[in-house]
Amino acid sequence: MSRCVSPSENFVPDSRASTPVSDKSCASSPDDVVNTMNKKVEVYTNIVNQFSRNLNTLGDRFNRFETQLKINNEKVEKLENLSESLLSSISKIEDQVANLCMSVLDKIPKVTNDCSCEHTISNVTNKVCGSSESNQLSNREPVYIETIGYTKPSKYDGTTNWLEYKLHFEAVAKLNNWSEDIKVLKLITCMNGAALSTLADIEIDNIPTYCYLVKLLTKKVCS
């Protein structure tokens, strides 16, 4: 009679079978997860703080730029007011000079080809100096008066040679027979652009002399 064999008795363990791996070795502990998250939060916090500092720096720079822009605008407005005031003063002076010239020209006898003005000159001289000097004057050549028209100076914006422009301006001033007071006002009104900006500190009630203004422009434009 054969004996029944239990299945467990016929089971032979296979040495090649893999040993089960503990779940503990594959999964991270809660503390490790929390530490990792804390490190990431710290990194993000540092990035945000750095961005905030950079933003504050840009804000400070913008505020300084805005302040400087406001100051420049005030200077430009001041220069515009100064220029308008000077132009108004120059216009009044030019009108006065023109009226004076017309008045003087009306009083001067016109010279004709027959030199008839000699008789007028002789009559005036007879009354003032006597007949002997009048006879000497009548024997002289006729007197001709040359009238030079108004010469307008060109503008100066600081981009061309200053010394060349200074020579041009002084030649025009000599032709127009400008006084020192007129020359300094005319020179300021001829300034434009960057050259006018160098005169931002000048006040209309405290205009410098012509020589001082030329030295100031020479220093600032040629530097």
Side-chain angles (χ1 to χ4, degrees):
M1 188 173 193
S2 62
R3 188 173 63 87
C4 293
V5 179
S6 174
S8 60
E9 294 177 358
N10 294 329
F11 175 75
V12 178
D14 188 359
S15 60
R16 293 174 297 176
S18 59
T19 304
V21 180
S22 174
D23 293 338
K24 213 176 221 187
S25 62
C26 294
S28 299
S29 66
D31 292 339
D32 293 337
V33 174
V34 171
N35 291 334
T36 302
M37 293 300 296
N38 288 336
K39 290 180 179 178
K40 290 183 178 180
V41 169
E42 184 179 358
V43 171
Y44 293 149
T45 302
N46 291 334
I47 293 174
V48 171
N49 291 336
Q50 183 64 36
F51 177 78
S52 178
R53 287 192 293 270
N54 293 339
L55 189 62
N56 291 334
T57 301
L58 290 176
D60 293 339
R61 290 180 180 177
F62 178 78
N63 290 335
R64 289 196 297 270
F65 173 77
E66 190 176 20
T67 302
Q68 187 62 39
L69 183 62
K70 183 178 179 180
I71 294 173
N72 290 339
N73 289 336
E74 291 176 353
K75 287 184 177 181
V76 169
E77 184 178 359
K78 184 178 178 182
L79 283 173
E80 290 177 351
N81 295 334
L82 175 63
S83 179
E84 291 177 1
S85 179
L86 288 175
L87 288 175
S88 177
S89 300
I90 292 298
S91 178
K92 292 180 182 179
I93 293 173
E94 288 178 346
D95 292 340
Q96 293 175 359
V97 171
N99 293 333
L100 180 61
C101 289
M102 293 298 297
S103 177
V104 172
L105 290 175
D106 290 340
K107 295 179 181 179
I108 297 176
K110 295 183 180 180
V111 179
T112 58
N113 291 331
D114 59 356
C115 299
S116 59
C117 66
E118 291 183 11
H119 301 288
T120 303
I121 296 174
S122 298
N123 293 333
V124 174
T125 309
N126 285 333
K127 295 179 180 179
V128 177
C129 302
S131 59
S132 60
E133 293 185 4
S134 176
N135 292 332
Q136 294 177 1
L137 181 61
S138 62
N139 294 328
R140 297 177 183 176
E141 293 294 329
V143 178
Y144 296 93
I145 300 175
E146 181 180 3
T147 303
I148 300 176
Y150 175 77
T151 303
K152 184 177 181 180
S154 59
K155 296 286 186 179
Y156 181 74
D157 58 2
T159 59
T160 57
N161 187 282
W162 159 247
L163 296 179
E164 293 178 357
Y165 178 79
K166 176 175 172 289
L167 176 63
H168 157 76
F169 180 84
E170 291 184 347
V172 172
K174 190 172 184 63
L175 283 173
N176 293 329
N177 197 24
W178 289 338
S179 64
E180 292 296 311
D181 293 337
I182 298 297
K183 283 169 67 176
V184 67
L185 294 174
K186 279 288 190 179
L187 183 58
I188 293 175
T189 57
C190 287
M191 296 296 101
N192 199 2
L196 182 59
S197 298
T198 61
L199 306 179
D201 296 331
I202 293 179
E203 298 180 359
I204 187 62
D205 296 330
N206 190 19
I207 300 296
T209 63
Y210 175 74
C211 292
Y212 178 83
L213 184 62
V214 168
K215 290 179 181 179
L216 179 64
L217 286 169
T218 302
K219 180 180 178 181
K220 291 188 175 183
V221 175
C222 296
S223 59

